[in-house]
Amino acid sequence: MAMVGARPANRLAALMGHRLALACYLAFALFPLYWLVKIAISPNKLLYKEGTALWPSQTTLANFSYVLLKSEFPRFFLNSVIVSLGTAVLVTLVAAGAGYAFSRFRFAGKPVVMFIMLLTQMFPIVMVIPPIYRLMAPLGLTDNLVGLIIVYTAFNTPFATFLMQSFFDGIPPDLEEAAMIDGCTRLGALRRVIVPLTLPGLGATLGFVFTAAWSELLFALMLINSDSQKTFAVGLLTFISKFSVDWGQMMAASVLALIPACVFFIFIQRYLVQGLTAGAVKG
């Protein structure tokens, strides 16, 4: 009887330990975001005077007002939205088609093509920036958002293709064959049967690519020169002057930059979670 009574106690202790560990992890993960907000709403005169305080004695929205009304951040913000959404949609479409081809068809040179795509992921980005700049400059693709979208698409498509291939591999080909027996073409079977089943994979790919393009800095820093074409990741550097850093305004801009990513993930959360879970199980 004592052992039977001990089992619920052990389960309760394990549950409490699990919840405590989860709470500690969340606190560790969210503390930088909390500190970001804390600095953003702190008056400049208190940043160094109360730098280690968990909450400032006074708060202000002056940093947000300056960023939104007096700085170039709205332009940087819009540029990032255009580049990230354009890249995410373009890469998802290309990766879906390529992933389906790799999953369903056999063709000459398939292993070589897949190896080359995998090889492109092994080079450090810093090493390929000079040749890319030399290649894009004569084409007039530097210092504009279209060139940035092209570069981001090229570098994100290989991984996204392998990701989409794993989802197509998890769908039995018999479903397409049954649809084609019923009168569908292969394209019709893809549109009516396969695409609805791969919505979680499409959501996961879209979310991954959007995040990668939204936070990318090196290409945007090297390929964009004019202020009107800068993304927010590069625009944050404008808050750093020669002799000082305006931490309050920089942190306010960073907080505002988190909003579209959060909103985007709220809309695709259901597909994203299903996609990542399915990929983990089937992979």
Side-chain angles (χ1 to χ4, degrees), residues 82-97:
I82 294 173
V83 171
S84 300
L85 281 180
T87 302
V89 173
L90 188 59
V91 169
T92 301
L93 292 176
V94 174

Side-chain angles (χ1 to χ4, degrees), residues 14-39:
L15 180 62
M16 292 179 62
H18 177 266
R19 295 293 188 269
L20 180 61
L22 183 60
C24 292
Y25 171 76
L26 288 176
F28 177 78
L30 296 178
F31 183 77
L33 298 179
Y34 162 78
W35 204 255
L36 195 73
V37 175
K38 182 253 182 185
I39 296 177

Side-chain angles (χ1 to χ4, degrees), residues 71-82:
S71 72
E72 294 294 326
F73 179 78
R75 166 58 62 180
F76 304 152
F77 186 89
L78 179 60
N79 291 340
S80 289
V81 171
I82 294 173

Side-chain angles (χ1 to χ4, degrees), residues 8-9 44 69 112 133 138 157 182 207 234 266 279:
N44 290 333
L69 303 178
V112 176
Y133 186 88
T157 296
D182 291 338
V234 181
I266 287 174

Side-chain angles (χ1 to χ4, degrees), residues 7-283:
R7 290 179 181 176
N10 292 336
R11 292 178 181 175
L12 179 60
L15 180 62
M16 292 179 62
H18 177 266
R19 295 293 188 269
L20 180 61
L22 183 60
C24 292
Y25 171 76
L26 288 176
F28 177 78
L30 296 178
F31 183 77
L33 298 179
Y34 162 78
W35 204 255
L36 195 73
V37 175
K38 182 253 182 185
I39 296 177
I41 63 175
S42 298
N44 290 333
K45 62 182 180 180
L46 299 180
L47 281 180
Y48 295 99
K49 184 179 179 181
E50 300 179 351
T52 58
L54 291 178
W55 194 254
S57 59
Q58 300 177 18
T59 59
T60 180
L61 296 178
N63 293 323
F64 290 93
S65 176
Y66 179 87
V67 169
L68 290 173
L69 303 178
K70 299 181 181 180
S71 72
E72 294 294 326
F73 179 78
R75 166 58 62 180
F76 304 152
F77 186 89
L78 179 60
N79 291 340
S80 289
V81 171
I82 294 173
V83 171
S84 300
L85 281 180
T87 302
V89 173
L90 188 59
V91 169
T92 301
L93 292 176
V94 174
Y100 179 80
F102 284 135
S103 176
R104 292 294 190 264
F105 301 112
R106 296 179 180 272
F107 52 88
K110 176 181 175 180
V112 176
V113 174
M114 296 183 69
F115 174 77
I116 293 176
M117 292 179 63
L118 183 62
L119 190 65
T120 61
Q121 305 298 295
M122 300 181 181
F123 293 100
I125 293 180
V126 176
M127 188 176 70
V128 299
I129 287 179
I132 287 179
Y133 186 88
R134 292 289 300 272
L135 178 67
M136 297 182 66
L139 300 176
L141 293 176
T142 58
D143 201 25
N144 67 71
L145 301 182
V146 174
L148 209 55
I149 292 175
I150 292 174
V151 172
Y152 288 171
T153 300
F155 273 83
N156 285 288
T157 296
F159 178 82
T161 298
F162 290 123
L163 185 63
M164 287 304 305
Q165 181 187 357
S166 68
F167 288 103
F168 287 119
D169 288 341
I171 300 176
D174 297 342
L175 296 178
E176 294 170 84
E177 296 174 0
M180 288 187 286
I181 291 175
D182 291 338
C184 286
T185 62
R186 178 173 289 276
L187 184 61
L190 176 64
R191 179 173 59 87
R192 297 180 180 180
V193 178
I194 303 302
V195 170
L197 295 176
T198 55
L199 284 179
L202 293 172
T205 304
L206 198 68
F208 166 79
V209 177
F210 181 89
T211 304
W214 184 261
S215 58
E216 203 283 327
L217 174 63
L218 288 180
F219 280 121
L221 184 62
M222 296 300 174
L223 298 179
I224 301 297
N225 298 321
S226 61
D227 290 341
S228 62
Q229 300 296 313
K230 288 181 179 178
T231 60
F232 94 89
V234 181
L236 289 177
L237 299 178
T238 60
F239 296 103
I240 302 177
S241 62
K242 186 175 181 180
F243 299 103
S244 64
V245 178
D246 199 319
W247 293 108
Q249 295 174 9
M250 180 182 289
M251 296 303 104
S254 300
V255 171
L256 294 173
L258 293 175
I259 295 177
C262 294
V263 173
F264 179 80
F265 277 101
I266 287 174
F267 281 107
I268 69 167
Q269 180 182 12
R270 179 164 62 94
Y271 297 115
L272 182 63
V273 173
Q274 292 176 1
L276 293 178
T277 304
V281 173
K282 296 171 185 174

